[in-house]
Amino acid sequence: EPYEGKGASVTFRPEGSDHETRRNVDFIYQPVRNAQGAVVGIFVQGHDVTDTVQAAQRQRLMIDELNHRVKNSFAAVIGLLNLQARNHTDPALREAVAQAASRIATLARVHDQLYRDPESDHLPLAAFASGLLADLDRALTGTVRAEILVPKELLLSVNAATALGQVMAELVGNAIKHAGREHLPIVEVTLATVGESRLLLSVADNGPGLPPGFDPAARHGLGMRILSVYSDQLDADLTCTNTPEGGAMFRLDFPVR
């Protein structure tokens, strides 16, 4: 059967030279058959693509260096914001800066997943969600308990993963904020598949719960506006209620895409 090679590394010894040289070659070889179908020779054809291969390698190195610098920049900004949040004496300012850090951490997590597989426009959902929730657990003053009940191979588009990450960061941050007024906040996050084509995100806390008649659409704070914008991007159904124990619970039902 014919065989095709792309960018294969081949060592040559030019005629009249004692030195070998290595080049990259695209080639194809296939058997030559006689009238009876017996192989009587091999036909080989190729051309030198060394310059193209080396240019692609240089580009890959430049992209790797750029991604490394972006990752370090994200980490530096997040670290500075967290430091500033700890140094603020005003609780409202401290909370606002900490929430800004968590939003940037979400973008950093998306970038990190893309850096691991730059050829893909989809992310492994389980790894992305688990990593982001672990980041939030470390960054926020409270306990985040995560239960990720989705297949490891399930992929989510980059845009959907970014929107979901921002929703998770807002819901967890708000839960920590409101549940922690009287005691150490505990936030329970569950992400699960619903049938074959939908996902359900649930975020519940151990705080005082939502007031009667609470309507997220009627709230005008930045957090709720962000939640509304990204829920719309996910084409999600957002509901909220109180848990049997009295804490607040938000649920997001949205399609896999």
Side-chain angles (χ1 to χ4, degrees):
E1 295 296 327
Y3 179 82
E4 184 177 2
K6 292 288 188 181
S9 179
V10 180
T11 300
F12 293 96
R13 178 177 294 169
E15 185 177 356
S17 173
D18 294 332
H19 301 287
E20 294 182 341
T21 182
R22 186 176 295 274
R23 307 294 291 176
N24 296 99
V25 178
D26 281 356
F27 68 90
I28 183 171
Y29 70 78
Q30 57 187 355
V32 177
R33 301 178 185 274
N34 60 20
Q36 289 73 39
V39 177
V40 295
I42 296 177
F43 171 78
V44 180
Q45 182 181 36
H47 63 279
D48 191 333
V49 293
T50 303
D51 291 344
T52 301
V53 170
Q54 290 179 346
Q57 291 172 342
R58 289 193 296 270
Q59 184 181 42
R60 180 71 261 168
L61 288 173
M62 291 175 63
I63 292 174
D64 286 346
E65 176 63 21
L66 177 62
N67 280 324
H68 183 68
R69 293 187 181 189
V70 169
K71 184 177 181 178
N72 287 343
S73 297
F74 270 130
V77 171
I78 293 168
L80 288 171
L81 287 174
N82 285 331
L83 179 62
Q84 188 175 14
R86 287 193 295 270
N87 289 335
H88 269 305
T89 56
D90 186 328
L93 287 176
R94 186 166 59 245
E95 174 198 331
V97 175
Q99 286 189 333
S102 71
R103 289 166 187 149
I104 295 174
T106 301
L107 299 177
R109 173 60 57 178
V110 173
H111 173 267
D112 184 61
Q113 292 288 341
L114 287 174
Y115 175 66
R116 294 170 189 269
D117 186 8
E119 303 301 323
S120 176
D121 57 358
H122 284 69
L123 304 182
L125 176 57
F128 169 72
S130 298
L132 175 59
L133 291 170
D135 291 343
L136 294 173
D137 184 47
R138 287 189 294 267
L140 300 173
T141 306
T143 299
V144 180
R145 296 174 179 169
E147 189 174 19
I148 309 299
L149 304 175
V150 300
K152 290 183 179 180
E153 65 274 12
L154 181 62
L155 301 178
L156 204 63
S157 71
V158 170
N159 289 339
T162 303
L164 177 61
Q166 293 293 353
V167 166
M168 292 170 67
E170 288 303 321
L171 289 177
V172 171
N174 285 337
I176 294 288
K177 169 186 173 182
H178 295 291
R181 290 175 176 173
E182 298 179 358
H183 46 67
L184 181 67
I186 298 175
V187 183
E188 306 224 2
V189 182
T190 303
L191 181 63
T193 52
V194 180
E196 296 182 356
S197 60
R198 297 191 72 82
L199 292 162
L200 179 64
L201 171 69
S202 172
V203 179
D205 62 50
N206 63 338
L210 301 171
F214 179 85
D215 181 6
R219 301 283 167 155
H220 302 295
L222 177 60
M224 283 299 163
R225 293 204 301 272
I226 290 175
L227 181 60
S228 176
V229 167
Y230 285 111
S231 295
D232 288 344
Q233 285 189 17
L234 290 168
D235 195 20
D237 296 324
L238 174 66
T239 58
C240 55
T241 185
N242 287 329
T243 67
E245 294 77 19
M249 180 169 68
F250 287 79
R251 292 161 63 93
L252 208 74
D253 185 323
F254 58 100
V256 177
R257 60 186 183 186

